[in-house]
Amino acid sequence: MPLVDKNQIELYRKIEALEAALTVTLAAVSTALPSVKTDVLKNLRVWAEKNKGNDGAPKAFNDLADKIESIKFNING
């Protein structure tokens, strides 16, 4: 089993936290302007396409788009 550096784990956790913050922010903005979610998803897909030659960028962009797309935003009021 390969060893994972502590710094890599910390970096991964920070990335997860940023993804969560982005998703919550997007949810809040999308309640006022529903087209924002659509625009974000479209741009993530475009960036994935533009970075096809990059080692992990297309997968990262598409994975984030898939995650955001699957989330159903609900307003609790």
Side-chain angles (χ1 to χ4, degrees):
M1 173 156 81
L3 294 176
V4 178
D5 184 10
K6 181 181 175 190
N7 291 332
Q8 290 175 318
I9 293 171
E10 289 174 9
L11 179 62
Y12 180 75
R13 296 295 178 224
K14 287 179 183 179
I15 292 169
E16 280 187 325
L18 285 170
E19 272 188 10
L22 171 67
T23 302
V24 170
T25 302
L26 181 59
V29 172
S30 291
T31 59
L33 299 165
S35 65
V36 170
K37 180 179 176 183
T38 303
D39 292 342
V40 169
L41 292 171
K42 179 182 172 187
N43 282 312
L44 286 169
R45 302 283 186 210
V46 167
W47 295 334
E49 187 66 29
K50 285 184 178 179
N51 285 282
K52 274 198 169 179
N54 194 312
D55 56 352
K59 182 174 179 357
F61 286 129
N62 283 320
D63 286 352
L64 182 55
D66 292 343
K67 184 183 277 188
I68 291 170
E69 196 168 41
S70 71
I71 294 172
K72 304 298 180 221
F73 300 133
N74 294 318
I75 307 296
N76 295 328

